[in-house]
Amino acid sequence: HCLSMGERAWYLIHRWDNSILDINEQVVLYKDSSKEVMGTTEIANKLGVRAICNGQKCTTSDFRVFHSDGSVEVVCFKASEEAVFAPKKERLRQRLSIEQAYWEWQERPVSWSLDYYTKQNFILADNIDMVTRFYDKSKVFDDVSYLKHLIATKQIVVDMESEILCCGEMVKNTT
């Protein structure tokens, strides 16, 4: 699945969003242009920067997100804004400009954005991971797992953003 803990957190949080239908990970960007796609080599030439690959498949975008309203977006995930905009990161910024143009300059443009490890809510991601293990009711085996199932299926709503859920305590306090 995801290549880093930050990507994992981003993925879990966005899959939790009911307006998101699907998320593709590590979507290939092609070097050569075709009728449907302007390739990264042509884009690099238009931008006046060095191309980013040697083979047919050259690089990937981290996430392609399909929304229920029909929109599609691509998200590039990096450690921090500082890691991207530091003075010595000019080549990285060139590569990102090629990636952004790859999506935005196509016949059917797709919005592109950057997101960062430093902006992820890891508490929310860990809580989502914990409860969604019991999304399928056949996994439920006791009151605690049943509570997690109810949260995972959004039959009950609890604060999942500010602290790790203590479902055992929650069950104990309701009995």
Side-chain angles (χ1 to χ4, degrees):
H1 247 351
C2 299
L3 298 178
S4 71
M5 292 303 291
E7 287 179 349
R8 174 189 166 275
W10 186 96
Y11 178 84
L12 289 168
I13 292 166
H14 286 79
R15 283 301 296 147
W16 186 250
D17 183 338
N18 289 337
S19 71
I20 294 178
L21 300 176
D22 196 15
I23 300 174
N24 301 145
E25 301 170 62
Q26 302 306 317
V27 181
V28 173
L29 281 65
Y30 290 93
K31 170 186 161 189
D32 297 322
S33 297
S34 68
K35 287 190 295 187
E36 299 85 26
V37 176
M38 182 186 304
T40 59
T41 301
E42 182 179 349
I43 291 168
N45 289 337
K46 287 182 182 227
L47 293 173
V49 298
R50 191 178 49 166
I52 57 176
C53 56
N54 297 325
Q56 178 63 19
K57 297 176 183 177
C58 59
T59 191
T60 60
S61 289
D62 296 313
F63 299 105
R64 182 171 48 191
V65 183
F66 297 88
H67 295 270
S68 59
D69 66 3
S71 64
V72 179
E73 71 174 313
V74 170
V75 178
C76 177
F77 197 87
K78 296 297 177 196
S80 67
E81 291 180 72
E82 295 78 25
V84 172
F85 297 105
K88 292 184 178 184
K89 295 295 186 172
E90 179 62 28
R91 181 62 184 152
L92 172 61
R93 288 189 297 278
Q94 289 175 357
R95 292 174 60 92
L96 292 174
S97 67
I98 293 169
E99 181 180 345
Q100 180 178 9
Y102 182 89
W103 295 105
E104 293 180 350
W105 292 2
Q106 298 306 329
E107 194 171 302
R108 292 188 196 140
V110 172
S111 70
W112 180 91
S113 63
L114 280 168
D115 205 346
Y116 305 96
Y117 175 93
T118 54
K119 294 190 175 186
Q120 302 314 300
N121 182 336
F122 289 93
I123 291 172
L124 175 58
D126 287 345
N127 282 331
I128 291 168
D129 185 43
M130 175 178 49
V131 301
T132 55
R133 293 171 190 262
F134 297 94
Y135 187 88
D136 181 348
K137 196 170 184 177
S138 69
K139 305 279 188 198
V140 171
F141 60 90
D142 64 5
D143 290 343
V144 173
S145 60
Y146 183 64
L147 175 62
K148 292 176 183 179
H149 168 75
L150 294 175
I151 296 168
T153 56
K154 300 184 180 179
Q155 295 177 57
I156 63 170
V157 177
V158 298
D159 174 15
M160 299 203 354
E161 296 187 23
S162 57
E163 62 185 14
I164 296 295
L165 294 177
C166 295
C167 292
E169 288 295 314
M170 293 167 71
V171 167
K172 191 185 324 180
N173 292 337
T174 60
T175 55

